Structure formats: C-alpha cells, structure tokens
C-alpha cells in the first residue's frame, strides 16, 4: 500500500552547507540567518536541570516572554515547537487533507510548499514577480480562494527576497480570509529583522490567523530548534497540541531554558544585530550599484536578498555555480532552491564575517564573468 504522505528531500536541504560540508566552503553567503551564536555570547551557562518531561505546550516562562510582545496575547496562545519548520509541519498536517485547498506564495521557504504537496492537497500558487518588486497583491489572494480553500499561507518579511508588506495590506489579507472563512498562516520568522517598525504579530489580528516564528534567524540559534505557533483560537491550539504530542510529546527542557535566556536579552541583542545588519545591507547595495551583471529588489527585512543576473553567464548557470564554488570558494543559494530559475540566487549577508562577505562578493563578480 502506498503511503498517504509522500516525502521527498528538498533541494535546499540536500544542497545545504551542513550537508555539503562547511569545511568545503570558504565564503558561505547562502545562510538565511545572522551568525551562529554560542551560549557564551548570550552569557548563558546551563545549570543542573532535571531532565524530566516538560510542559507539553512549552515552558510557561518562555511562552510568557513570547506572548508579552502584544498585550492582546496570553500564554495559552503560544505553543512551543521544534523550530519554525516543526511549527509549519504541525500547522499543515493538522489543518490540511487531500480534499482541501491551499493558497500559498512562491518563491517561498521550501517547507511551506513541500509539506502540503506531501499531504496531497490542492495548491494555488501566488507567484511573486521581480518586475513588481516581489509585491504581494491581496486581490490575487482573494481571486485564488475557492470553496475548498482551507488555508492561505504567506511569509512576511519574505524569504528569499527580504521584501515585506505594509500593515494595511496585512490587515486587508486578514479581512479577506476572515470573510471567506479561511485560516491565514503568516510565517513571520524575520519579523524582528525589519527595517521599519515591525508589523503587528499577525495572530493578534484575528482568531483565524496563525503566526509562526523561531529563534533561528534573528537570534542565530538554529541549533536549539525552538520555534512557536501563536493563535488565539483554543480549539485550534488544542489541535496543534495534539499534533505536537504525537510527534514529540514535549520539547527539550535544556533547549527551552536556553531560549528563555535568549529572549530575556531580546531588546539589547536586537539593537546590536540591527545596527550591524544595516551596515551589511549598505555594503550589498554599494556592491550591486557597481555590478552591471546583477539587479535586485532592495530588502526591507530579513538578512537575505534575491539578485537576478542580467545576462546568462559564460557557460550557463551551472558553470557559474561551479566556478563560484571551485575557483572562488563561495556558496550562495541557487534559484532552484525556491522553484525559480538559477539566474536568481539567494544571498545571505549577515552570517559570514564582514571580510568573508567582501571576499564572497568579489567571487560572485568574478564568476559572473567566467
């Protein structure tokens, strides 16, 4: 009997730096987070914790810190998960079946596309275009909704382009989905890395809205695998909790203790991070201004951008990526990671050191010219 869930490995994971081998890359410009942090960088030293089953919803202290961002949210609106990837998996498998329909933005982080495909549900793709500045038009979402649509899935700020939407547009999408009786998932992993004032927590705008985030991108802590779902509908949260309990029962008490320690320093940490992020973004803008073989849409959030080649490089894109890695030791995320042509690539500018970033940019310019 064939399985109901048909899993296939995602190119972004098969070709990830950790799979390829960090030691084989000199200048890693493919990462979508700030630099990986350590316990010492947060001044944390793990105490002699009792290794018991933790609260299934996550530690109360951690959930309280997450909910405290918005006065309309409470501790029971937060469910701790195994990273944002675990949260997205829980949401998709809990609310979508093969007879349901999903409206989802593309390009996108692969999990937002591949898990629904494994479920076998119907999918309508809202393709964002470079020519439109990768802007998301709420009208296109409404036009894609059908009587069987169960979920609309967007990402803001957007991965891999770093673009965002205005608060008025977010509220319009919230209104559209509420009027059609459809759930809205907002992957807001980059919310804390916004150039402008961060948008409201999307889940605070309606009980049908589900926010997902984590400590991986803005806080440089992907190794603790701590993410969360925020939603104010008790019945939905009970459903998500049931899914979590069948996957892992609870989270790691060690990881959740570390996460709590990180979030207690949130404001000071982000102040430092955003100042460095703005310097890095200025450096990318300066480089691209002098690079006539690339064009881009300047990001307004996140720590990635998605440049496009203005002409086919010598030997084609395969030869470009081969040259870039073999001759210049530089790694970026090719477009096919996001179901886009390989004339696009995701460039992460906050993970490497400033010197590694400069060397990687020089490598890209050289590889473009063969």
């Amino acid at each position: 009997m064939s399985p109901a869930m048909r899993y296939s490995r995602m190119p972004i994971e098969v070709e990830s730096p950790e799979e390829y081998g960090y030691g084989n890359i000199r200048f890693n410009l493919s990462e979508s987070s700030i630099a990986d942090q350590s316990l010492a960088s947060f001044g944390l030293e793990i105490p002699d914790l009792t290794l018991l089953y933790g609260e299934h919803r996550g530690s109360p202290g951690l959930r309280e810190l997450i909910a405290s961002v918005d006065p309309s949210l409470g501790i029971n609106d937060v469910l701790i998960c195994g990273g944002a990837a675990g949260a997205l998996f829980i949401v998709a498998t809990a609310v979508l079946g093969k007879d349901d329909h999903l409206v989802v933005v593309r390009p996108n982080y692969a999990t937002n596309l591949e898990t629904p495909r494994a479920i076998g549900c119907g999918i309508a793709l809202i393709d964002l275009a470079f020519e439109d500045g990768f802007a998301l038009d709420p009208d296109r979402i409404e036009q894609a909704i059908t009587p069987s649509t169960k979920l609309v899935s967007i990402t803001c700020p957007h991965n891999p382009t770093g673009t965002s939407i205005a608060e008025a547009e977010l509220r319009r999408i919230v209104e559209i989905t509420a009027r059609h009786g459809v759930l809205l998932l907002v992957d807001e992993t980059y919310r804390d890395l916004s150039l402008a004032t961060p948008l409201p927590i999307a889940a605070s705008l309606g009980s049908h809205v589900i926010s997902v985030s984590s400590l991986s991108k803005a806080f440089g802590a992907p190794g603790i695998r701590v993410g969360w779902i925020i939603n104010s509908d008790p019945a939905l949260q009970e459903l998500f909790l049931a899914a979590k309990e069948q996957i892992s029962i609870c989270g790691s008490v060690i990881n959740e203790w570390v996460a709590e320690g990180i979030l207690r320093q949130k404001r000071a940490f982000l102040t430092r991070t955003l100042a460095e992020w703005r310097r890095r973004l200025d450096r990318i803008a300066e480089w691209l201004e002098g690079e006539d073989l690339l064009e881009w849409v300047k990001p307004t959030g996140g720590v990635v951008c998605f440049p496009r080649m203005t002409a086919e490089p010598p030997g084609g894109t395969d030869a470009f990526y081969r040259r870039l890695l073999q001759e210049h030791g530089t790694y970026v995320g090719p477009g096919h990671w996001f179901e886009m042509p390989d004339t696009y690539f995701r460039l992460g500018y906050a993970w490497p050191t400033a010197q590694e970033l400069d060397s990687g940019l020089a490598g890209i310019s050289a590889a473009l010219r063969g």
Side-chain angles (χ1 to χ4, degrees):
M1 186 170 69
S2 61
M5 292 279 285
R6 293 175 175 82
Y7 293 109
S8 58
R9 294 194 70 197
M10 300 176 287
I12 193 172
E13 305 302 350
V14 174
E15 301 168 19
S16 64
E18 59 269 23
E19 287 289 290
Y20 182 75
Y22 287 110
N24 298 319
I25 304 168
R26 280 186 292 158
F27 312 119
N28 184 2
L29 275 56
S30 71
E31 301 289 354
S32 57
S33 66
I34 69 163
D36 296 330
Q37 303 297 299
S38 66
L39 289 172
S41 65
F42 290 107
L44 298 175
E45 187 174 333
I46 297 174
D48 185 19
L49 297 169
T50 301
L51 304 180
L52 77 171
Y53 285 109
E55 285 202 24
H56 294 192
R57 290 173 175 81
S59 78
L62 178 57
R63 288 186 290 136
E64 195 171 314
L65 282 166
I66 293 165
S68 68
V69 175
D70 190 292
S72 71
L73 298 172
I75 186 171
N76 291 327
D77 299 328
V78 179
L79 177 69
I80 305 302
C81 306
L88 294 169
F89 183 86
I90 284 173
V91 172
T93 54
V95 306
L96 292 172
K98 63 182 181 61
D99 296 325
D100 295 317
H101 180 255
L102 165 74
V103 177
V104 61
V105 168
R106 185 174 66 173
N108 210 322
Y109 173 57
T111 296
N112 282 315
L113 298 169
E114 290 303 329
T115 304
R117 284 177 178 147
I119 292 166
C121 67
I123 300 174
L125 298 168
I126 305 291
D127 285 318
L128 306 181
F130 182 96
E131 290 73 18
D132 299 329
F134 296 117
L136 175 58
D137 181 356
D139 288 336
R140 293 182 64 198
I141 290 176
E142 183 156 31
Q143 291 159 9
I145 292 173
T146 74
S148 60
T149 301
K150 193 77 172 288
L151 181 69
V152 168
S153 174
I154 67 173
T155 303
C156 186
H158 185 247
N159 181 7
T161 68
T163 57
S164 193
I165 59 176
E167 182 175 339
E169 291 171 316
L170 175 61
R171 289 183 180 274
R172 176 123 190 280
I173 296 169
V174 169
E175 184 275 324
I176 288 169
T177 47
R179 180 158 36 85
H180 287 274
V182 172
L183 296 172
L184 172 62
L185 170 65
V186 183
D187 181 342
E188 48 190 35
T189 306
Y190 287 120
R191 178 181 174 275
D192 286 318
L193 293 174
S194 298
L195 259 182
T197 302
L199 292 171
I201 297 286
S204 71
L205 304 179
S207 61
H208 70 294
V209 185
I210 304 158
S211 291
V212 165
S213 193
S214 80
L215 292 179
S216 298
K217 306 302 184 185
F219 295 89
I224 63 171
R225 308 310 305 136
V226 171
W228 53 85
I229 294 169
I230 306 177
N231 174 257
S232 61
D233 182 336
L236 265 181
Q237 280 290 35
E238 192 75 5
L239 179 64
F240 298 149
L241 175 60
K244 178 187 175 180
E245 288 172 330
Q246 293 185 39
I247 293 168
S248 63
I249 302 176
C250 63
S252 158
V253 293
I254 297 174
N255 292 0
E256 290 184 9
W257 183 90
V258 173
E260 193 173 330
I262 291 173
L263 282 182
R264 290 195 185 283
Q265 308 172 46
K266 177 178 178 177
R267 180 170 295 181
F269 182 82
L270 287 176
T271 298
R272 296 193 302 272
T273 297
L274 286 166
E276 177 62 20
W277 174 72
R278 287 182 171 90
R279 284 193 289 271
R280 298 292 187 91
L281 185 57
D282 288 344
R283 174 68 187 99
I284 298 295
E286 176 190 38
W287 170 67
L288 280 165
E289 192 174 336
E291 180 48 81
D292 59 357
L293 298 181
L294 292 173
E295 54 190 352
W296 75 329
V297 175
K298 189 173 183 179
T300 55
V303 286
V304 293
C305 58
F306 204 48
R308 180 173 73 172
M309 302 174 196
T310 56
E312 186 86 357
T317 53
D318 284 352
F320 161 75
Y321 289 109
R322 191 164 53 249
R323 279 194 301 272
L324 184 62
L325 183 57
Q326 294 178 358
E327 298 176 23
H328 305 286
T330 300
Y331 208 54
V332 295
H336 69 260
W337 284 8
F338 309 97
E339 302 183 7
M340 295 286 282
D342 279 342
T343 47
Y344 292 85
F345 58 87
R346 187 180 71 182
L347 192 161
Y349 47 86
W351 190 88
T353 66
Q355 185 174 357
E356 289 167 347
L357 177 62
D358 280 341
S359 297
L361 297 179
I364 293 170
S365 291
L368 283 169
R369 290 161 174 78

